[in-house]
DNA sequence: TCAGACAATCTGGTAGAACCAGATGGCGGA
DNA sequence: TCCGCCATCTGGTTCTACCAGATTGTCTGA
């Protein structure tokens, strides 16, 4: 039971127990006692948090939360830790996602190999089974989109996109809670797949744009609705 | 002298002293002795390396290098550590940069504020001084491009772009070693600035595309020339 | 000769104590 | 009220000590 991953828990605890004004967190010794682990464990975890610029350690002074980081790594960690993500950050990530994936659709239409198409077909088949069973889509959606990015044959691109999908995955059940949305999303995926198959880059781009537009407005609406005064 | 940042040095050392086949690195105790620090220091640094997926620690077995990571964080660290970057990765990063910044130019043309324009003017003035003095451009180039991304008002976007500039900065002296290239680059920057000022998104995009095209072919030529058989 | 069992050794994981020196904050004196 | 001193706290760093599984090498028996 000691092999649990401290990172998310510590992150959550730091935000829960930091001083409102200064952002100063409990000391390493206090944290160690709180989690029932050694100070070394805490320091190791804090080193990672510091590398992600989520926290700043000032020698002989204390540990301070930095201005909320907007790195995708940090956002993914926040999501994992169950921390509320800044709605603005989420919307920004969605905008970035559109930038990435519309271009990815174009590149994939030129570079996708048979292997990519086979993978896409498998994912689409899995989606179909889900829908037929009346179950909501889950990682099938992410897999479909990431496979297209992979088809660009740009591993840096793929890695960057892969990270922020960790942010969204936890929220997919909300989005796909509506069965009709699942069906429409799947239908759009089929259209994109067809366009890629026909190597029609312009069509693939246009369809991806429309597809993401739907998701974007959904999130925008959701975020506008729950304007948290506490946020920011 | 003990406050040096172990991260780059350790990273370099791990790659230098790892077993060719298994990727297994020296043990924590050996590393501690080699660097003259405590095992705790080594473990703290390894935790960061593991979070970046550069290294994998297997309990009671050893530390192993993972397949070379393509995350921009890892690439930045490699550059800092003086490790040879996989030419393919660099080219991929350049491609991603084009995707980002062409779109950034369009968004910036719509969203840039007076503050952004003032910053851009300052950067351009600094560039001019450099060129007049016969000095090569340096961070001015990065600052110009990053300010445009910042003008999109998307902090996630800005953060993502900011990271991979850490990769390129070390190589700028090579690119700008040629004075004529500095002058041309500066002229193109002026054109982009004008287009943004006039809120002409299409022109800004086109000019940014042309501007980055030059850099891209430069790097492509350079990389094609030094095909390292050892790489990949 | 070789395969299998056993034991010494190595390794990461974790805890805990100890010391340093600068930052901090409260108390007392001017 | 304000200034300066000092006890206390804090991160930075090192060392020692165990644990238990992985690894490696040796020895034994067939």
């Amino acid at each position: 039971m000691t092999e649990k991953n401290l990172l998310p828990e510590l992150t959550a605890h730091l935000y829960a127990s930091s001083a409102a004004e200064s952002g100063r967190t409990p000391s390493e010794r206090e944290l160690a006692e709180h989690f029932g682990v050694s100070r070394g464990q805490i320091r190791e975890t804090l080193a990672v948090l510091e590398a992600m610029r989520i926290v700043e350690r000032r020698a002989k002074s204390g540990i301070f939360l930095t201005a909320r980081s907007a790195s995708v790594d940090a956002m993914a960690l926040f999501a994992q830790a169950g921390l509320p993500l800044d709605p603005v950050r989420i919307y920004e990530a969605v905008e970035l996602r559109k930038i990435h994936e519309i271009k990815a659709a174009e590149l994939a239409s030129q570079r996708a190999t048979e292997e990519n198409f086979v993978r896409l077909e498998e994912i689409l088949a899995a989606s179909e089974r889900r829908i037929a069973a009346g179950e909501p889509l889950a990682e099938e959606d992410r897999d479909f989109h990431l496979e297209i990015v992979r088809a660009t044959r740009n591993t840096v691109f793929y890695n960057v996109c892969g990270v922020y999908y960790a942010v969204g995955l936890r929220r997919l059940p909300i989005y796909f809670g509506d069965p009709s949305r699942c069906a429409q999303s799947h239908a759009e995926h089929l259209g994109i797949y067809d366009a890629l198959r026909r190597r029609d880059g312009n069509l693939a781009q246009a369809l991806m744009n429309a597809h993401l537009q739907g998701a974007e407005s959904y999130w925008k609406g959701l975020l506008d609705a729950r304007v948290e005064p506490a946020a920011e």
Side-chain angles (χ1 to χ4, degrees), chain A:
Chain A
M1 67 196 66
T2 65
E3 63 174 30
K4 64 192 170 192
N5 190 4
L6 255 185
L7 244 191
E9 289 189 42
L10 218 203
T11 309
H13 184 68
L14 291 180
Y15 273 89
S17 61
S18 64
E21 269 310 297
S22 62
R24 183 179 179 160
T25 77
S27 71
E28 296 180 349
R29 291 168 176 87
E30 286 176 272
L31 294 171
E33 190 179 9
H34 175 85
F35 285 100
V37 299
S38 68
R39 210 180 138 206
Q41 288 291 301
I42 297 294
R43 282 190 61 78
E44 224 174 283
T45 312
L46 285 175
V48 175
L49 252 14
E50 190 177 43
M52 287 187 180
R53 298 168 188 276
I54 289 175
V55 124
E56 185 188 342
R57 296 188 284 182
R58 297 184 202 149
K60 292 133 198 176
S61 172
I63 302 159
F64 300 82
L65 295 177
T66 63
R68 187 168 288 196
S69 171
S71 86
V72 283
D73 291 286
M75 289 178 70
L77 183 57
F78 279 27
Q80 200 185 344
L83 289 171
L85 288 166
D86 184 339
V88 177
R89 294 294 97 74
I90 296 185
Y91 190 66
E92 290 176 348
V94 171
E95 177 171 272
L96 185 56
R97 183 187 166 197
K98 260 183 77 176
I99 294 173
H100 282 151
E101 298 200 21
I102 292 173
K103 192 68 186 179
E106 184 197 349
L107 294 176
S109 75
Q110 301 161 7
R111 303 179 189 172
T113 63
E114 193 53 34
E115 183 208 333
N116 295 125
F117 288 125
V118 170
R119 271 287 292 150
L120 287 173
E121 285 155 18
E122 289 171 0
I123 295 165
L124 288 171
S127 302
E128 207 130 352
R129 283 194 296 274
R130 282 284 177 133
I131 291 174
E135 294 169 13
L137 289 181
E139 53 299 346
E140 292 86 3
D141 180 75
R142 175 200 58 184
D143 292 345
F144 180 80
H145 285 277
L146 275 180
E147 186 63 27
I148 291 176
V149 178
R150 176 149 63 188
T152 66
R153 301 259 162 284
N154 184 324
T155 57
V156 175
F157 196 1
Y158 180 73
N159 271 29
V160 170
C161 292
V163 175
Y164 63 56
Y165 265 98
V167 179
L169 198 54
R170 186 175 273 257
R171 291 155 184 273
L172 280 182
I174 310 171
Y175 186 66
F176 287 122
D178 181 349
S180 74
R181 191 140 43 215
C182 287
Q184 181 179 351
S185 190
H186 178 63
E188 291 173 352
H189 284 182
L190 283 174
I192 294 170
Y193 165 78
D194 275 340
L196 292 177
R197 257 295 188 206
R198 295 206 308 261
R199 306 285 182 188
D200 188 337
N202 289 332
L203 180 59
Q205 266 189 89
L207 292 177
M208 181 65 87
N209 185 21
H211 179 56
L212 293 179
Q213 195 64 52
E216 183 181 357
S217 19
Y218 170 78
W219 289 117
K220 190 165 169 53
L222 202 74
L223 296 176
D224 287 348
R226 60 149 184 154
V227 180
E228 297 164 288
E232 152 53 353

